[in-house]
Amino acid sequence: MPSAFANKTPPGGGTFGGGSGSGSNTSSSGGADGATVFASAGGVVFDRSKNGSGPSAGAVTPTTSWTPPACYYAPKYTPKALESQMRQVWESSAPSPEWSLQSQNYFVNGHPYKEFNKDKTGKGYWWDSYITKGREADPAAQDCDKQPFWVDKGAAPPADVSQAITPEMLAQLAYAEIRVPSTKVSLAPDGTTKVNLPTWAWLDTTHFKPVSVTASVPLLNLSATTTAEPVSLTIKPGTDDAVTYPASGQCEIHGGQIGEPYVKGKADETPPCGVKYLRSSGDGSYKLQATITWKISWTSTTGQGGGLPDGTFGADQNVVVQEIQAVNR
């Protein structure tokens, strides 16, 4: 039985089938060719042209237990496409006679649809469920268990379909596609520092500009853009025998800059962002962890928008600390 009709219960029992299309796609177009909807597999198209890139880029981790939707409903079939799918199912040996009769009553015999709504061709689409990429094994992905349903162009989906795609859901799906650059910080001294010597830390802000991803359903002329903007850097020295600057270890962004590059003559000053190790790392090194917090917000073509949970992305780097009490720089 085609995957588009697995795990759904038709009126009176049996199995229709649930959409298993992935919501993460690279296509930038959508439409219909008279036989099938091709707004990309999953109904949602992503524009990642303003996203972070490079081998060290990665997804942010929400600072709360929040997650994007595991499944959603969106346009999927024209009447002709759905008829083709269902007739293949009915002609196979997989469905039981009871299931075939129930589904034929549902789509063909007027309970509630007649002849796949072919008289409405070009006036709407059959909507079905999709599972968000990476959430296939999530039990929440099974919550979208309704049978395919018809929605006229310009009309709202049925009120009882809570997972029908919305601008905010598009923003949440775009959140999962956000990629941000690595958080390796510049240090002075670099690589090897000294006990009781303040080590300055800063980030090259040219690599830490806002990034964004736009998610859209072209067939609905609906889109939302999710933007991630860096707001702070948190430093964890990798040992309790250390002091951070500031004491919280959280370096705020000021004037578009995270921390301050060290320049000659500031050896006796306290860095606005950095760390001072109080004990040698011996024959090894400490793993300094630098984590950027990104503020996440969204806008949409409907005028709706707002905030989403902050996200974080971090990386470790080795710092060797030697037992020398004073050094002239």
Side-chain angles (χ1 to χ4, degrees):
M1 186 180 302
S3 61
F5 298 96
N7 303 325
K8 287 188 179 157
T9 302
T15 301
F16 267 129
S20 58
S22 167
S24 179
N25 301 279
T26 57
S27 172
S28 60
S29 63
D33 62 4
T36 184
V37 173
F38 56 91
S40 84
V44 175
V45 175
F46 294 102
D47 178 356
R48 303 181 181 87
S49 61
K50 297 180 181 179
N51 205 8
S53 60
S56 61
V60 295
T61 300
T63 55
T64 69
S65 59
W66 173 90
T67 58
C71 65
Y72 58 92
Y73 292 96
K76 194 167 189 179
Y77 302 104
T78 63
K80 183 178 179 181
L82 183 59
E83 178 183 24
S84 176
Q85 288 275 4
M86 289 308 301
R87 295 206 181 281
Q88 290 181 43
V89 174
W90 293 332
E91 292 170 4
S92 73
S93 58
S96 67
E98 180 185 17
W99 185 93
S100 294
L101 178 60
Q102 290 169 343
S103 57
Q104 287 173 29
N105 283 336
Y106 182 81
F107 290 113
V108 180
N109 299 330
H111 304 287
Y113 302 107
K114 190 171 182 180
E115 293 298 330
F116 297 98
N117 271 9
K118 285 191 287 187
D119 61 329
K120 289 190 172 184
T121 297
K123 300 178 181 178
Y125 299 102
W126 288 97
W127 288 41
D128 201 4
S129 63
Y130 300 94
I131 297 174
T132 304
K133 181 181 179 181
R135 305 290 293 279
E136 292 83 2
D138 190 330
Q142 303 306 314
D143 292 343
C144 298
D145 59 358
K146 291 182 179 295
Q147 57 268 30
F149 54 89
W150 179 266
V151 179
D152 288 334
K153 284 185 178 179
D160 64 340
V161 184
S162 60
Q163 298 97 338
I165 199 72
T166 64
E168 185 169 9
M169 291 173 69
L170 283 172
Q172 294 171 350
L173 292 170
Y175 185 115
E177 298 297 315
I178 288 286
R179 298 294 181 267
V180 297
S182 171
T183 53
K184 183 176 181 180
V185 296
S186 298
L187 300 173
D190 184 18
T192 300
T193 188
K194 315 300 178 184
V195 170
N196 290 326
L197 178 69
T199 298
W200 292 57
W202 69 94
L203 285 169
D204 183 351
T205 54
T206 61
H207 299 306
F208 290 89
K209 303 297 184 183
V211 298
S212 66
V213 173
T214 297
S216 63
V217 181
L219 291 172
L220 301 179
N221 293 317
L222 185 67
S223 70
T225 298
T226 297
T227 300
E229 180 180 2
V231 292
S232 65
L233 165 69
T234 299
I235 290 179
K236 294 183 178 180
T239 174
D240 291 335
D241 294 314
V243 174
T244 57
Y245 305 104
S248 65
Q250 183 169 307
C251 305
E252 302 293 340
I253 293 180
H254 295 289
Q257 181 169 283
I258 306 174
E260 181 182 326
Y262 172 79
V263 294
K264 188 176 180 180
K266 290 190 174 184
D268 295 330
E269 297 183 19
T270 298
C273 181
V275 59
K276 179 171 69 176
Y277 288 97
L278 307 178
R279 187 182 295 249
S280 165
S281 59
D283 295 331
S285 61
Y286 294 124
K287 284 192 177 297
L288 181 145
Q289 183 183 71
T291 301
I292 289 285
T293 296
W294 297 77
K295 181 180 179 181
I296 313 293
S297 61
W298 66 280
T299 59
S300 70
T301 49
T302 64
Q304 296 172 280
L308 290 168
D310 289 350
T312 62
F313 185 64
D316 295 339
Q317 55 197 94
N318 294 325
V319 178
V320 176
V321 182
Q322 296 177 341
E323 276 285 4
I324 298 178
Q325 297 302 314
V327 173
N328 292 322
R329 291 196 282 174

